Amino acid sequence: MTSLPARCCAPIAAGRLDDSQAQATAEVFKALADAHRVKILNLLANSREPVCVCDITDSMELSQPTVSFHLKKLVSAGLLNREERGTWSYYSIDGDALKDLDRIFQTKERTRTR
Amino acid sequence: MTSLPARCCAPIAAGRLDDSQAQATAEVFKALADAHRVKILNLLANSREPVCVCDITDSMELSQPTVSFHLKKLVSAGLLNREERGTWSYYSIDGDALKDLDRIFQTKERTRTR
DNA sequence: ACCGTTCATCGACGTTTATCAATGAAAGGA
DNA sequence: TCCTTTCATTGATAAACGTCGATGAACGGT
């Protein structure tokens, strides 16, 4: 495991990945490898509007610093976007990232429409 | 995070998950949250035949116990199948698991054809 | 100019993880 | 019956991770 960064989400089942692709893929999965982060992603994936940290915190049984910690991981992985409005921070799903991810488990024999 | 086990792979963007679904989803991502395991999965997803531990080990820069450790995690997550042949163990992708996973990032507005 | 709210970061802590060398179990020859 | 090969498990260790309370920065209202 030596190579340098690659972009995420080459399909796993449609040809061999090199080390750097495997690494990039693992980074994204690491961001999702926690039930609290899955909940956050799910919350934001199902909300039309961006959501502030306070509301995310209210919806989880975690302290605010811990929520911020998880949010940071999700942003770093490219899954969320962060937007400041005055004292507030609003977070939202990155739709493009989601679209990329939606290709990752595709198998060779499969196609997709609209 | 209190609830009991659920089965994996409810779509993240098509409605809210309860705690146990989020937990189940995170478990699968945990199994994928390591570059070596992504490589193993990729190797097996692209090989027609099951592959023995020795050949998997040869293809990676890891000791055999460490490879077995990773294989165990992937089997526990339901992503791989294990099959014994004499002294050998052969591993292969679980096609159904892969199919389930392929739905996890689907968005509401999307359909799929073969 | 003050105060309250919102949020990120820091420091500390306990837990989980990845790794290897050593060991052990089971099968297949010679 | 012994030796070799294959693989899983164990024990040890270092690194990464999730969590919280405390702190501090920035904004907005009074």
Side-chain angles (χ1 to χ4, degrees), chain B residues 96-110:
Chain B
D96 291 343
L98 213 57
K99 245 182 262 178
D100 287 348
L101 275 176
D102 194 20
R103 258 174 255 124
I104 206 166
F105 292 117
Q106 255 183 296
T107 51
K108 279 179 186 133
E109 314 77 24
R110 220 163 213 184

Side-chain angles (χ1 to χ4, degrees), chain B residues 80-98:
Chain B
L80 299 186
N81 295 123
R82 176 169 180 274
E83 171 194 355
E84 304 208 22
R85 299 187 201 162
T87 316
W88 285 261
S89 288
Y90 282 82
Y91 287 84
S92 54
I93 275 276
D94 185 305
D96 291 343
L98 213 57

Side-chain angles (χ1 to χ4, degrees), chain A residues 12 15 42 46 102 111-112, chain B residues 12 15 19 42 46 110 112-113:
Chain A
I12 286 183
N42 174 246
N46 285 280
D102 194 20
T111 339
R112 182 155 303 183
Chain B
I12 287 181
D19 284 0
N42 174 246
N46 284 280
R110 220 163 213 184
R112 183 156 303 183
T113 34

Side-chain angles (χ1 to χ4, degrees), chain A residues 1-67:
Chain A
M1 216 80 340
T2 44
S3 330
L4 288 171
R7 252 192 60 274
C8 172
C9 301
I12 286 183
R16 301 300 304 279
L17 306 178
D18 63 28
D19 283 1
S20 102
Q21 291 174 307
Q23 184 66 48
T25 298
E27 287 309 319
V28 175
F29 287 140
K30 265 184 238 207
L32 295 167
D34 178 281
H36 293 127
R37 290 198 290 273
V38 170
K39 278 189 76 172
I40 292 174
L41 198 76
N42 174 246
L43 170 66
L44 297 176
N46 285 280
S47 120
R48 272 174 203 70
E49 301 297 323
V51 181
C52 68
V53 177
C54 49
D55 285 347
I56 300 176
T57 301
D58 283 350
S59 81
M60 323 231 354
E61 294 177 337
L62 285 179
S63 70
Q64 173 267 314
T66 300
V67 171

Side-chain angles (χ1 to χ4, degrees), chain B residues 5-107:
Chain B
R7 252 191 62 271
C8 170
C9 301
I12 287 181
R16 301 301 303 280
L17 305 178
D18 63 27
D19 284 0
S20 102
Q21 291 174 307
Q23 184 65 49
T25 298
E27 287 310 318
V28 175
F29 285 135
K30 264 183 238 207
L32 293 167
D34 178 281
H36 293 126
R37 290 198 288 273
V38 170
K39 279 189 76 175
I40 292 173
L41 199 75
N42 174 246
L43 170 65
L44 296 177
N46 284 280
S47 118
R48 274 173 201 72
E49 302 295 324
V51 181
C52 67
V53 177
C54 48
D55 285 347
I56 299 175
T57 302
D58 284 351
S59 82
M60 323 230 357
E61 292 177 340
L62 286 178
S63 70
Q64 173 266 314
T66 300
V67 171
S68 282
F69 164 83
H70 288 307
L71 287 169
K72 189 175 189 176
K73 294 219 158 190
L74 291 167
V75 170
S76 298
L79 298 172
L80 299 186
N81 295 123
R82 176 169 180 274
E83 171 194 355
E84 304 208 22
R85 299 187 201 162
T87 316
W88 285 261
S89 288
Y90 282 82
Y91 287 84
S92 54
I93 275 276
D94 185 305
D96 291 343
L98 213 57
K99 245 182 262 178
D100 287 348
L101 275 176
D102 194 20
R103 258 174 255 124
I104 206 166
F105 292 117
Q106 255 183 296
T107 51

